[in-house]
Amino acid sequence: MKITSIKGFADILPGEVEIWQFIEEKAREVFGVYNFSEIRIPIVEKTELFSRSLGETTDIVEKEMYTFTDQDAKESRLTLRPEGTAGVVRAYVESEMYQVEPVRKLFYSGPMFRRERPQKGRQRQFYQIGAEVLGRADALVDAELLLLLSDFFRRIGLEGVTLELNSLGCVQCRPAYREKLLAFLRERADRLCENCRRRMERNPLRVLDCKEPSCIEATRDAPSILDYLCEACREHFNIVQELLRQSDVAYKLNPRMVRGLDYYCRTTFEWTSTQLGAQNAVAAGGRYDGLVADLGGPPTPGVGFAMGMERLVLLLSMRELRQAPRPALFLVWVGDAGRAWAFPTAHRLRLRGVSVEMEGERKSLKSQMRRADKLRARNVIIVGDEELGKGIAVLRDMDSKEQRELRLEGLEDELVRRLEAPA
Ligand code: HAM
């Protein structure tokens, strides 16, 4: 019987993977320019790490985590990471990175897992590229991350994304807003969905994020967090906006954007696209100044974002990036002597960086040429008994169809030079 993949877990096949590689390459490029270092963290962590940092009443922690008990880990339950920030902060604290240099600009990429209902742009195993800056409280770095994203979108040729911006205030000012919002919600509790009614008292801000039409309707005139920011938060937010305007990055204020994770404070943002349907956020993030201390580190501010790879790929897949790599050279051999020459020659050329392909079984010249065509090889070298006897090989440029004879002696040097491969 055929074994199929699990719902929400997808293969990334050749033909599509080239778009992934393109995005990853451009991301590395942009992180280099903005001076970020890569960090690689485990896919499995203790469950407690996520419940503590993302918040007990978030959708992710309440119902979307892949959690299991490992026989060796008697002291704790384990979870497939639903996001990267918690792990990065844990690593920062655990390795005491801050002892050497408290300011760290880190990026990561890899699979994340959430048991959500799969749909276009939403998977249960999905990939993120993310960045976290630890140790900087200034508004400049919030703006820098947003400029980095805008620069990245330009580099990959992504158009039509909108930046939505909000500030969630801080421990000083959010409680007053929370009380105000809670009072507002209590008056309308009968119009809220069951889920919101249940968690409203513990986490009223989450109600603003609910997608149920009744909740959206009931909270249409909810008080805005932006009216409750303290002086310091207001100034921080003003600077972020000022810097964006200076750099001509357009944004829209969205005071209802509370994000699905509890660690946020101050600046939060989402980049959305109208071409994606319901799952419209391409990248999202914000500030989390309390998280490092919550996870046992010294008080250290943090800010970051993550982009959803599947959604970027969907947006770029209309473009001409689907081409599989083209071999620079296809070696066509005829006869035993031809094969004895071709195999080690292919190996030596590959060692020198030339991408070479050849047939393994005895095939006619015509069939080998068809194969070279199919693989879109740029050049073909033909070597049979006759050529070997004369000490030559025939080189054919498959694009221009030009053909010439080359001497076998010094042929590899000549090919490396002609194919402009790194020697
Ligand atoms: P998030 O908003 O949960 O934030 O996810 C960031 C992005 O990951 C989303 O905007 C979306 O593009 C993508 N994404 C999320 N869930 C799925 C899914 N099920 N399928 C496909 N793509 C998905 C975070 O994860 C935070 N850790 C971001 C952050 C970093 N904040 C501060 N630092």
Side-chain angles (χ1 to χ4, degrees):
M1 204 179 66
K2 213 161 52 179
I3 301 177
T4 57
S5 64
I6 315 166
K7 194 169 116 186
F9 291 69
D11 300 311
I12 304 150
L13 303 175
E16 189 191 341
V17 85
E18 290 75 18
I19 307 177
W20 289 68
Q21 291 165 344
F22 169 75
I23 294 170
E24 286 158 3
E25 192 184 306
K26 293 287 165 191
R28 276 184 186 278
E29 216 175 270
V30 86
F31 284 131
V33 171
Y34 288 77
N35 194 34
F36 279 68
S37 310
E38 184 174 0
I39 180 166
R40 299 188 185 192
I41 49 170
I43 289 174
V44 182
E45 301 267 5
K46 291 182 182 165
T47 305
E48 191 192 350
L49 172 69
F50 301 115
S51 47
R52 236 206 289 160
S53 46
L54 313 189
E56 295 281 1
T57 53
T58 56
D59 283 347
I60 296 182
V61 173
E62 276 190 346
K63 54 184 190 207
E64 294 171 359
M65 297 203 299
Y66 284 92
T67 296
F68 59 98
T69 311
D70 184 87
Q71 284 188 341
D72 290 341
K74 293 193 181 66
E75 80 282 12
S76 69
R77 305 258 288 155
L78 305 180
T79 292
L80 298 186
R81 64 182 184 193
E83 59 102 61
T85 311
V88 169
V89 171
R90 183 211 32 80
Y92 178 83
V93 173
E94 187 172 346
S95 67
E96 300 188 2
M97 251 183 245
Y98 49 83
Q99 300 277 20
V100 185
E101 166 57 59
V103 177
R104 293 293 171 133
K105 296 167 86 174
L106 305 167
F107 78 92
Y108 53 91
S109 64
M112 309 291 162
F113 304 83
R114 296 182 194 174
R115 195 184 286 104
E116 293 188 90
R117 198 168 49 76
Q119 62 183 92
K120 182 182 165 196
R122 189 159 77 188
Q123 295 286 333
R124 291 182 162 183
Q125 172 172 333
F126 61 99
Y127 289 76
Q128 285 186 342
I129 297 181
E132 314 292 347
V133 180
L134 295 159
R136 279 186 60 181
D138 56 280
L140 272 67
V141 74
D142 304 25
E144 183 181 309
L145 282 173
L146 292 165
L147 296 184
L148 182 160
L149 277 167
S150 143
D151 186 355
F152 172 73
F153 295 146
R154 186 184 53 81
R155 284 169 194 253
I156 61 169
L158 184 64
E159 284 164 0
V161 282
T162 310
L163 169 59
E164 294 184 28
L165 202 59
N166 193 19
S167 173
L168 292 179
C170 65
V171 284
Q172 305 300 322
C173 53
R174 203 178 328 163
Y177 172 69
R178 194 180 175 281
E179 283 314 307
K180 198 81 190 169
L181 181 64
L182 192 53
F184 174 91
L185 294 173
R186 281 189 186 128
E187 280 170 24
R188 292 159 182 78
D190 55 331
R191 290 159 61 192
L192 301 178
C193 74
E194 205 187 304
N195 209 6
C196 284
R197 273 206 304 272
R198 181 175 55 81
R199 59 187 179 186
M200 169 180 106
E201 298 287 332
R202 280 171 74 193
N203 198 343
L205 269 73
R206 299 228 38 80
V207 178
L208 297 179
D209 199 36
C210 181
K211 303 289 180 282
E212 286 293 325
S214 59
C215 295
I216 295 176
E217 184 55 38
T219 59
R220 201 169 289 283
D221 304 318
S224 160
I225 177 97
L226 295 179
D227 296 332
Y228 290 83
L229 297 182
C230 63
E231 192 51 41
C233 285
R234 191 157 348 118
E235 171 156 347
H236 185 99
F237 197 43
N238 283 342
I239 298 173
V240 175
Q241 294 180 67
E242 175 65 30
L243 293 171
L244 291 175
R245 284 196 297 270
Q246 269 175 18
S247 306
D248 290 325
V249 173
Y251 62 88
K252 235 171 35 192
L253 291 182
N254 178 2
R256 293 181 63 96
M257 188 180 65
V258 297
R259 309 275 301 116
L261 311 158
D262 282 357
Y263 50 58
Y264 290 114
C265 63
R266 291 199 166 167
T267 320
T268 52
F269 53 85
E270 284 185 5
W271 292 81
T272 56
S273 163
T274 49
Q275 294 170 55
L276 282 173
Q279 301 308 318
N280 64 355
V282 182
R287 196 162 259 293
Y288 47 88
D289 291 344
L291 187 58
V292 178
D294 283 350
L295 293 177
T300 307
V303 56
F305 67 78
M307 307 187 263
M309 281 294 283
E310 285 76 8
R311 298 181 192 180
L312 289 172
V313 170
L314 273 174
L315 290 171
L316 292 192
S317 56
M318 305 109 196
R319 301 206 338 232
E320 271 308 298
L321 292 163
R322 285 177 171 271
Q323 299 287 344
R326 296 179 68 179
L329 190 66
F330 192 95
L331 291 188
V332 171
W333 56 271
V334 184
D336 289 343
R339 184 181 59 191
W341 177 86
F343 189 79
T345 304
H347 179 57
R348 282 194 299 272
L349 285 169
R350 286 172 181 147
L351 288 179
R352 297 176 69 176
V354 182
S355 83
V356 183
E357 200 46 275
M358 63 178 276
E359 202 67 81
E361 285 180 37
R362 193 179 297 273
K363 294 265 168 70
S364 70
L365 181 78
K366 208 164 139 196
S367 135
Q368 293 188 60
M369 290 304 287
R370 268 204 306 269
R371 178 95 184 117
D373 232 10
K374 181 125 193 239
L375 294 177
R376 298 167 30 258
R378 292 179 205 281
N379 299 277
V380 165
I381 280 274
I382 305 164
V383 175
D385 290 341
E386 197 187 320
E387 286 80 11
L388 285 174
K390 287 203 259 174
I392 56 144
V394 177
L395 174 68
R396 182 179 167 87
D397 181 319
M398 297 294 276
D399 293 331
S400 69
K401 312 282 181 235
E402 259 177 66
Q403 217 160 278
R404 69 183 66 223
E405 292 186 352
L406 297 177
R407 300 220 35 88
L408 285 181
E409 203 187 307
L411 178 74
E412 289 167 26
D413 290 339
E414 177 68 16
L415 286 174
V416 169
R417 196 181 59 73
R418 278 178 184 269
L419 306 178
E420 288 178 340

